[in-house]
Amino acid sequence: MAINAGSSSLKFQLIEMPQETVVAKGLVERIGLDNSIFAIEYGDDQKFELVEEIATHDRAVELLFEHLTELGIVKDYHEITGAGHRVVAGGELFKESALINDEVIQQVADLGEFAPLHNPAEAAVMRAFKERLPEITMAAVFDTSFHTTMPAVNYLYSLPYEYYEKFKARKYGAHGTSHHYVARRAAEMMGKDVKDLKIITCHLGNGASITAVDGGISVDTSMGFTPLAGLTMGTRTGDIDASLVAFVMQKLGISDVAEMVNILNKKSGLLGISGVSSDMRDILSAAAEGNERAQLAHDIFVNRIQKYIGQYIAVMNGVDAIVFTAGIGENSIQIREEVIKGITVFGCDIDTERNNTRKEAIISPEGAKVTVLNVPTNEEMEIAREVERLKQA
Ligand code: ADP
């Protein structure tokens, strides 16, 4: 089972390995709030939904296990032989996925300072799983591990150096599992060794980040100390001048920094600019109907991606491939075309016919200097594979 827990949510996929068949998937939302929802899809398009109070992550796990048997998805939840937990913040400690024991759970909880909404919830879900299935292989798969190879020149902020020494204040990045997977897959599709390539991976979902992958390792990435930095996202600002935080707080009479951080995380980005929606499909259709602010949100989104690609070509002093992935990257033929058509100066181009796809494909013209690819990501499957790998290690 691949598990992705957030502060008030828990997403899960039950996957049959090594066949990689998804047996069931679903989510629990609004944990700790009123009208919590548990929803699961399984079998041949069968669905089940329940609205009731789900006060804690432990209760969410209990409910999940109950329903796996009640709905006949498994005879007994002990049929589950492995669990992989996605963890947002691994700090400098976790350079790769780790087998879960009490010490690792505590370390994940302690790293909560870096991801207060995520790590404590993830630790709670690990505990809930371990109590019910103490005998199985459980792995923690970190969003940050892939980026632990970044050099100091790219991960350090230009702050007093002791903030790094004392507080570990630095760039950690995110979406590592996805960037790692699509970079490897792109190299395979090109028939090349990833070690010989300079790749820029663009993970464009609700959260969005871009990574410079040089010789198979992450050398720079757009998300920062937390996933707030970098590109314009669904509801997150991406990069802004830090002085604006103080300025806006003063203008709005906000004294609680957490309230301001919430605005930067939840009310900004595509939603904040457009006033329409955080969802790119809504933005595209509103823009097509002539909504100017939706058009502007779209333009800013594309512009930031282009700027980061330019930056990372400079960081690596070259580029062999540009990869698109995640909700927007995989599905928006239009956005891929717009991004690439605006930066042909770098030797990249798009083949309109090849780009007319939502599947894995090379979408640049034959013989182009830079290969552009669409590579659907699958973080849950990667997490399941990590569990299998660690089981055999
Ligand atoms: P998350 O970060 O929540 O995992 P996803 O990777 O699922 O996000 O991406 C969600 C985003 O993908 C939304 O903005 C959604 O509008 C966008 N998206 C999905 N399908 C399309 C499409 N056909 N065209 C444009 N955007 C799309």
Side-chain angles (χ1 to χ4, degrees):
M1 182 167 279
I3 303 115
N4 182 352
S7 56
S8 64
S9 68
L10 192 164
K11 293 188 203 151
F12 57 88
Q13 277 194 19
L14 184 61
I15 302 170
E16 176 113 46
M17 298 298 276
Q19 300 89 324
E20 304 200 340
T21 326
V22 178
V23 177
K25 65 175 176 182
L27 80 171
V28 188
E29 282 179 296
R30 302 182 57 79
I31 298 171
L33 305 168
D34 54 357
N35 295 321
S36 320
I37 303 161
F38 168 78
I40 185 164
E41 292 173 30
Y42 60 102
D44 309 319
D45 279 336
Q46 281 163 289
K47 285 184 185 147
F48 174 84
E49 203 177 287
L50 178 82
V51 179
E52 68 168 48
E53 195 189 317
I54 306 171
T56 62
H57 285 81
D58 190 73
R59 173 69 190 138
V61 173
E62 187 175 56
L63 208 64
L64 164 60
F65 282 2
E66 273 170 25
H67 282 85
L68 286 177
T69 42
E70 267 173 34
L71 298 169
I73 298 164
V74 294
K75 282 202 194 73
D76 180 331
Y77 67 76
H78 288 91
E79 282 174 33
I80 300 170
T81 55
H85 298 259
R86 175 201 182 209
V87 181
V88 168
E92 289 186 327
L93 195 58
F94 292 103
K95 296 190 170 18
E96 50 187 70
S97 307
L99 281 172
I100 292 173
N101 53 32
D102 289 335
E103 189 191 358
V104 168
I105 297 178
Q106 193 53 49
Q107 285 165 332
V108 167
D110 291 345
L111 285 161
E113 215 189 357
F114 297 154
L117 296 180
H118 288 92
N119 276 44
E122 287 149 2
V125 172
M126 287 174 195
R127 278 195 201 98
F129 264 74
K130 203 160 170 290
E131 256 168 43
R132 290 167 179 87
L133 291 167
E135 71 285 1
I136 67 168
T137 307
M138 288 217 310
V141 181
F142 301 87
D143 266 19
T144 46
S145 291
F146 182 53
H147 301 301
T148 54
T149 48
M150 278 189 289
V153 69
N154 289 331
Y155 73 63
L156 265 195
Y157 292 105
S158 307
L159 281 165
Y161 189 74
E162 61 264 30
Y163 298 175
Y164 168 62
E165 290 177 307
K166 283 189 192 147
F167 315 129
K168 297 279 177 225
R170 51 159 285 181
K171 178 192 278 196
Y172 292 103
H175 291 144
T177 314
S178 175
H179 288 292
H180 191 188
Y181 168 73
V182 300
R184 271 192 336 248
R185 190 69 203 118
E188 280 167 17
M189 288 162 70
M190 292 165 74
K192 298 236 164 93
D193 189 332
V194 74
K195 292 203 170 66
D196 301 326
L197 294 172
K198 295 176 196 288
I199 305 176
I200 296 174
T201 50
C202 310
H203 177 109
L204 311 176
N206 273 317
S209 67
I210 299 202
T211 298
V213 185
D214 197 348
I217 64 168
S218 167
V219 293
D220 204 355
T221 193
S222 63
M223 280 178 166
F225 175 66
T226 70
L228 181 56
L231 302 169
T232 296
M233 305 178 221
T235 60
R236 288 176 232 163
T237 52
D239 300 332
I240 59 162
D241 180 343
S243 314
L244 267 172
V245 175
F247 179 81
V248 173
M249 283 177 79
Q250 195 199 4
K251 289 287 176 199
L252 296 179
I254 296 174
S255 53
D256 181 2
V257 178
E259 190 182 338
M260 186 62 208
V261 173
N262 191 51
I263 294 176
L264 303 174
N265 265 306
K266 302 263 173 73
K267 299 192 173 158
S268 304
L270 296 175
L271 173 67
I273 301 163
S274 70
V276 171
S277 170
S278 63
D279 192 292
M280 184 51 88
R281 284 165 292 201
D282 300 338
I283 297 287
L284 290 173
S285 56
E289 284 161 16
N291 183 311
E292 283 177 18
R293 270 172 49 195
Q295 183 63 45
L296 186 60
H298 157 275
D299 293 349
I300 291 174
F301 183 79
V302 170
N303 164 285
R304 299 301 187 270
I305 298 166
Q306 291 168 327
K307 284 184 191 169
Y308 262 102
I309 292 176
Q311 231 188 84
Y312 288 164
I313 292 173
V315 163
M316 296 192 287
N317 196 16
V319 63
D320 300 300
I322 299 174
V323 185
F324 288 94
T325 194
I328 303 170
E330 291 164 24
N331 295 304
S332 182
I333 294 158
Q334 176 187 339
I335 299 253
R336 290 198 301 255
E337 176 163 342
E338 286 167 342
V339 168
I340 297 298
K341 283 287 184 199
I343 54 170
T344 48
V345 65
F346 296 127
C348 50
D349 205 350
I350 207 122
D351 181 307
T352 327
E353 218 165 284
R354 287 181 172 187
N355 187 38
N356 190 15
T357 182
R358 296 196 163 130
K359 301 220 169 78
E360 223 176 49
I362 289 176
I363 55 176
S364 47
E366 187 67 42
K369 191 165 150 247
V370 179
T371 308
V372 184
L373 305 97
N374 187 35
V375 183
T377 195
N378 193 337
E379 286 163 294
E380 289 77 14
M381 200 59 80
E382 271 301 289
I383 290 172
R385 287 175 192 149
E386 278 293 272
V387 176
E388 287 296 288
R389 190 178 65 79
L390 287 174
K391 203 188 270 181
Q392 273 138 32

